[in-house]
Amino acid sequence: MSPKKKSAGRVAATTVSEDRVEVRIGIQNSQREVAFESNSEPDEIAEVIAGAWAANEMVTLEDSRGSKIMVPTDKIAYVELGPPSKPRVGFGAG
């Protein structure tokens, strides 16, 4: 594989990750949260969660790899939507 092809692959991967949204859902009585990246818009995710919460139904979301995440809305403590976290490398990276 030539260096130009490798470089082009890195750029494409960076572009894809910029379109992703990090979703973190806190679950009542659980020390761990559900965390994943999604290709959906933050407003779209918020609308799906709010609709399921209002209907007291299970919320179903899809991550960036196509897996489905299902959470009962009566157990949701909080939902946080934001840009994906960048991987840290080395000491004091941030």
Side-chain angles (χ1 to χ4, degrees), residues 39-75:
N39 293 331
S40 300
E41 293 292 324
D43 292 338
E44 181 183 348
I45 295 169
E47 187 176 311
V48 168
I49 292 171
W53 206 330
N56 198 23
E57 296 175 346
M58 185 165 294
V59 65
T60 303
L61 301 169
E62 189 171 312
D63 71 5
S64 59
R65 297 177 296 158
S67 297
K68 297 220 183 274
I69 294 94
M70 300 173 72
V71 180
T73 55
D74 63 336
K75 300 297 180 191

Side-chain angles (χ1 to χ4, degrees), residues 13-26:
T14 302
T15 303
V16 169
S17 67
E18 290 174 0
D19 294 339
R20 293 185 181 160
V21 174
E22 183 175 4
V23 180
R24 295 178 6 170
I25 302 174

